[in-house]
Amino acid sequence: MADQNHSVSPVKDGMLTYCYLLLYIALSSGQIFFNKWVLSSKEINFPYPLGLTLLHMIFSSVLCFVLTKVLKILKVEEGMTLEIYTTSVIPIGAMFAMTLWLGNTAYLYISVAFAQMLKAVMPVAVFILGVAAGLEVMSMRMLLIMSVISFGVLVASYGEININWIGVVYQMGGVVGEALRLIFMEIFVRKKGLKLNPISMIALCLLIPWIFLEKPKMDAQGSWNFQPLVLTLNSICTFALNLSVFLVIQHTSALTIRVAGVVKDWVVVLLSAILFADTKLTLINIFGYAIAIGGVAAYNNFKLKKEVTRAAISDNNSSSSSIPTASSSTKVSS
């Protein structure tokens, strides 16, 4: 009976993990479509990506405060000092704010599918910045992988019918912001053993440019229709997406979320061609994106092997240090 329960448990855990992955893919894809609709729809008439992102962060900040301070369902990282805040939270929050702002702004100019294709170049940006920061080592294999990804994105861009270079610049700016955030996470957080969630700092970093860039436009326009129900649902979806990412990483790994992200990108690209009139996929688009995704898969595989090797070395070191020496054995026996 015990063996039967023991065999059922891994199956149950596996099913739960797959449910979390499916939830992440559904929420992530749905949030992209939701944001595109809110920003581009004439019914909503809310073409303010900074304002929308700021609303998300304020909503998440309030909800996090309720969950951690009032209901005390979630725990927060203790020991936050001014040095940690200035050297870790501020730069990471600023880069995250930049990613969200520029990425959402790109939806005003380019299709959802093309935006996802451009995002495939993310590993290239992360690797180049990692080499510059001394976190990655240049090798022929990585150079080949980065070349494949870049070539695939170039082919996909060449096949885009209605290319808008303003949207491309915004999207690539978002890619650089996300790459810098990941590098800062590696330098400032993981090496210090901290777990940070700089939502409040993100809101502050968004508030400042919103006051100068979008608020005057909103005041001058005066005709946009604020729909509390729609924008509240949009904010709830954003918070649920962040929660699903936490659940997936908690039950699997950061690499799994990257692989699930690749699946999500394909879902978004294909569904956006059905849902949005501004998305017109060509064979060159799909061919180039397939090449880029192949390069991303090779990159993820390389990172997985590197992490496995690092874990094996760490286990060997810990096991060898736990073996008693001859002198200690003699002392015990005597």
Side-chain angles (χ1 to χ4, degrees), residues 27-49:
L27 286 174
S28 184
S29 305
Q31 185 63 36
I32 291 173
F33 296 144
F34 204 167
N35 287 346
K36 172 70 173 180
W37 179 66
V38 170
L39 292 170
S40 304
S41 172
K42 293 181 179 179
E43 292 83 3
I44 303 298
N45 192 25
F46 195 83
Y48 305 108

Side-chain angles (χ1 to χ4, degrees), residues 114 117-118 147-161 163 282-292:
F114 188 44
M117 293 178 187
L118 292 176
S147 299
V148 170
I149 296 174
S150 301
F151 176 72
V153 173
L154 285 174
V155 172
S157 301
Y158 179 77
E160 181 67 12
I161 296 175
I163 190 168
T282 65
L283 289 177
I284 298 178
N285 274 146
I286 298 175
F287 178 67
Y289 189 53
I291 294 175

Side-chain angles (χ1 to χ4, degrees), residues 194-209:
L194 301 173
K195 296 179 181 178
L196 302 178
N197 189 16
I199 293 178
S200 299
M201 177 50 60
I202 297 172
L204 180 61
C205 292
L206 289 168
L207 178 62
I208 296 172

Side-chain angles (χ1 to χ4, degrees), residues 62-74 239:
V62 173
L63 202 53
C64 282
F65 178 81
V66 172
L67 293 175
T68 56
K69 300 296 184 181
V70 180
L71 301 179
K72 296 183 178 180
I73 297 175
L74 300 177
F239 185 82

Side-chain angles (χ1 to χ4, degrees), residues 311-325:
I313 294 174
S314 178
D315 291 341
N316 290 334
N317 291 337
S318 60
S319 60
S320 61
S321 62
S322 63
I323 298 175
T325 59

Side-chain angles (χ1 to χ4, degrees), residues 168-208:
V168 171
V169 171
Y170 274 118
Q171 185 60 58
M172 297 309 294
V175 167
V176 172
E178 177 65 7
L180 285 171
R181 184 185 73 87
L182 294 174
I183 295 298
F184 287 162
M185 288 284 289
E186 183 72 27
I187 296 174
F188 299 138
V189 178
R190 291 174 188 169
K191 289 187 177 181
K192 295 180 182 179
L194 301 173
K195 296 179 181 178
L196 302 178
N197 189 16
I199 293 178
S200 299
M201 177 50 60
I202 297 172
L204 180 61
C205 292
L206 289 168
L207 178 62
I208 296 172

